Amino acid sequence: MTSVTVNGRSYQRSAQPVVVVCIDGSEPGYIESAVATGRAPFLARMLKDGTNRLAQCVVPSFTNPNNLSIVTGAPPKVHGICGNFFYDPESGTEVMMNDPKFLRARTIFKAFQEQGAKIAVVTAKDKLRRLLGHELEIGPDRAICFSSELADKASLSENGIENVLDLVGLPLPDVYSAGLSEFVFAAGVKLMERDRPDLMYLSTTDYIQHKHAPGTPVANDFYAMMDGYLAQLDALGAVIAVTADHGMNAKHDSRGAPDVIYLQDLLDGWLGKDAVRVILPITDPYVVHHGALGSFATIYLPSGSSVPELLDRLRTVPGIDLALSRSEGCARFELPEDRTGDVIVVSTAHKVLGTSADRHDLSGLTEPLRSHGGVSEQTVPLVLNRPTDLPAGAKLRNFDIFDVALNHAR
Ligand SMILES: [Zn+2]
């Protein structure tokens, strides 16, 4: 047994394969509700005989910052990815952070690969794939890294694998479907049977969680589906550790309309048209299920503006949970200051933040809005199929999961 050190933390190499699963948007309650129906017997066993804890995710409680925290074991101030977008005041442009060049830390996968470990990473959406595979030497015996979204295009040179649809035995799923996540698990089982990688990371999409609350029939179906694949991974001898990138809350009013504070419109009214720039780091090319509405925003002010005055005024707005200066907010949430606006705004559990009403296309919202981004979506499950030697009251982060699986599972 050797240990691997990365970003200031050490991880033991395990004799068994270790599978870390990030269930996108898995608010506490989804797993338990599915278990209560009797349709998730393996998850039931994990909760009872394994480890069943809660952990805190990174704020902004968005997908990319948290996936990168999980795979680096570090907060965004270390790895640099604090949303899908940041604003570059010098060029006046909103810059997308999907490119690995924005990543400032090595991944746990890369550090293990250097010690000879075999790696497999499967994500639902391709937007994460390149970030998670950063610096990995790709190849069938070294590292396999692909998305279900582009599974039909996977190649040996780019992904370390080809003919994925034949291997998995499922058709290419639609990007907006539960099938996109099912494909991740089905591929994980096939790869475990065929290659037995030392470390495997499976990351799903929150398409279902954005539309269906815990305990609803569609959500229970989704967790029952997952249960079957997790049981197969368990039967193959893997240590399985499950967490989420963030939780999810209903963010609509009593009529089912999104409950939005349009910050750009509000601030245009206070300070003049386009005097400030509101950035929503949830914005990405796949907005159909959330309309780019989440609970976290940052605001860039013109130089010479009084930040304390604006903070005081923002704090009086109903539905605003927190208004913090860049330095306060970045210290509290461990964010990189150079990719954060002058002001950070977080909304309350059932409200979301928008820019201007006319800039959000809500036509894709077929269900009353559920979303995330705030402190209210910070609590997520941390569940293993093994008992662990963690102290009873240990405060856990979701990005402790590789530490828990590799250093604390028994
Ligand atoms: Zn997510």
Side-chain angles (χ1 to χ4, degrees), residues 3 22 41 63 80 88 93 111 140-141 143 151 197 204 209 211 220 246 270 281 294 314 322 348 354 377 394 398-399:
S3 81
C22 176
T63 302
D88 177 9
T93 52
D141 301 318
T204 68
Q209 290 84 351
K211 292 181 180 298
N220 287 340
H246 52 79
W270 288 358
L314 283 166
L322 292 169
T348 53
E377 292 81 37
N398 61 347
F399 61 81

Side-chain angles (χ1 to χ4, degrees), residues 313-380:
R313 206 161 168 194
L314 283 166
R315 285 172 186 144
T316 66
V317 177
I320 288 185
D321 181 19
L322 292 169
L324 303 169
S325 69
R326 173 189 289 130
S327 58
E328 288 172 306
C330 288
R332 173 162 174 178
F333 300 129
E334 300 179 275
L335 299 174
E337 292 208 11
D338 62 328
R339 292 179 181 170
T340 304
D342 301 281
V343 166
I344 289 174
V345 180
V346 178
S347 62
T348 53
H350 301 294
K351 289 254 190 199
V352 279
L353 302 170
T355 53
S356 304
D358 60 12
R359 284 175 56 193
H360 290 269
D361 177 7
L362 307 182
S363 60
L365 295 176
T366 55
E367 306 282 339
L369 180 68
R370 299 171 50 76
S371 195
H372 52 96
V375 175
S376 44
E377 292 81 37
Q378 221 186 337
T379 303
V380 294

Side-chain angles (χ1 to χ4, degrees), residues 246-265:
H246 52 79
M248 190 74 74
N249 272 305
K251 308 267 185 189
H252 55 81
D253 61 21
S254 55
R255 293 167 299 125
D259 202 348
V260 192
I261 301 168
Y262 287 106
L263 272 181
Q264 187 71 55
D265 290 343

Side-chain angles (χ1 to χ4, degrees), residues 4-318:
V4 175
T5 300
V6 56
N7 302 321
R9 303 178 76 166
S10 282
Y11 303 90
Q12 297 297 314
R13 289 195 60 174
S14 164
Q16 294 93 40
V18 168
V19 181
V20 169
V21 181
C22 176
I23 309 177
D24 199 320
S26 198
E27 176 76 16
Y30 278 110
I31 293 177
E32 293 79 359
S33 302
V35 164
T37 66
R39 295 179 56 211
F42 179 69
L43 283 164
R45 224 168 75 211
M46 285 178 80
L47 298 185
K48 188 168 153 282
D49 302 331
T51 299
N52 178 15
R53 298 288 189 107
L54 293 172
Q56 300 296 302
C57 80
V58 163
V59 173
S61 47
F62 292 141
T63 302
N64 286 12
N66 276 285
N67 269 273
L68 271 303
S69 283
I70 290 169
V71 305
T72 58
K77 78 171 178 202
V78 174
H79 62 68
I81 306 297
C82 51
N84 294 327
F85 274 95
F86 71 93
Y87 178 64
D88 177 9
E90 254 157 52
S91 63
T93 52
E94 296 184 17
V95 182
M96 204 158 182
M97 267 187 279
N98 282 3
D99 196 295
K101 73 180 183 203
F102 295 110
L103 195 51
R104 292 169 168 164
R106 300 171 75 220
T107 67
I108 295 169
F109 310 135
K110 176 61 183 170
F112 269 77
Q113 183 178 62
E114 283 179 348
Q115 303 292 322
K118 213 193 295 186
I119 310 296
V121 175
V122 188
T123 67
K125 291 181 184 171
D126 205 65
K127 69 172 180 180
L128 260 176
R129 195 253 321 162
R130 285 174 63 225
L131 284 168
L132 299 180
H134 184 48
E135 296 181 326
L136 283 178
E137 191 188 307
I138 295 294
D141 301 318
R142 300 289 287 141
I144 289 172
C145 182
F146 67 95
S147 68
S148 36
E149 180 182 359
L150 298 183
D152 59 332
K153 299 197 172 60
S155 67
L156 284 174
S157 59
E158 183 75 13
N159 310 98
I161 190 167
E162 57 187 356
N163 302 324
V164 172
L165 301 186
D166 292 343
L167 174 74
V168 175
L170 291 172
L172 186 74
D174 188 278
V175 69
Y176 297 111
S177 73
L180 198 72
S181 296
E182 171 158 13
F183 196 95
V184 171
F185 288 107
V189 170
K190 293 293 181 190
L191 289 175
M192 187 56 69
E193 286 170 350
R194 192 188 78 171
D195 299 343
R196 211 167 170 80
D198 300 293
L199 282 191
M200 179 182 277
Y201 185 61
L202 305 177
S203 184
T204 68
T205 161
D206 54 9
Y207 175 77
I208 292 297
Q209 290 84 351
H210 267 291
K211 292 181 180 298
H212 304 278
T216 55
V218 175
N220 287 340
D221 287 348
F222 186 73
Y223 284 80
M225 172 277 290
M226 225 161 9
D227 188 84
Y229 291 106
L230 293 175
Q232 292 182 63
L233 289 168
D234 178 73
L236 291 164
V239 174
I240 304 172
V242 174
T243 190
D245 53 348
H246 52 79
M248 190 74 74
N249 272 305
K251 308 267 185 189
H252 55 81
D253 61 21
S254 55
R255 293 167 299 125
D259 202 348
V260 192
I261 301 168
Y262 287 106
L263 272 181
Q264 187 71 55
D265 290 343
L266 180 76
L267 292 162
D268 283 357
W270 288 358
L271 305 167
K273 178 87 181 135
D274 295 331
V276 306
R277 178 135 185 166
V278 174
I279 298 290
L280 304 176
I282 193 174
T283 312
D284 77 0
Y286 317 74
V287 295
V288 169
H289 49 305
H290 52 62
L293 293 168
S295 285
F296 185 96
T298 97
I299 307 170
Y300 288 83
L301 309 178
S303 54
S305 315
S306 166
V307 172
E309 215 169 285
L310 183 63
L311 293 177
D312 284 344
R313 206 161 168 194
L314 283 166
R315 285 172 186 144
T316 66
V317 177

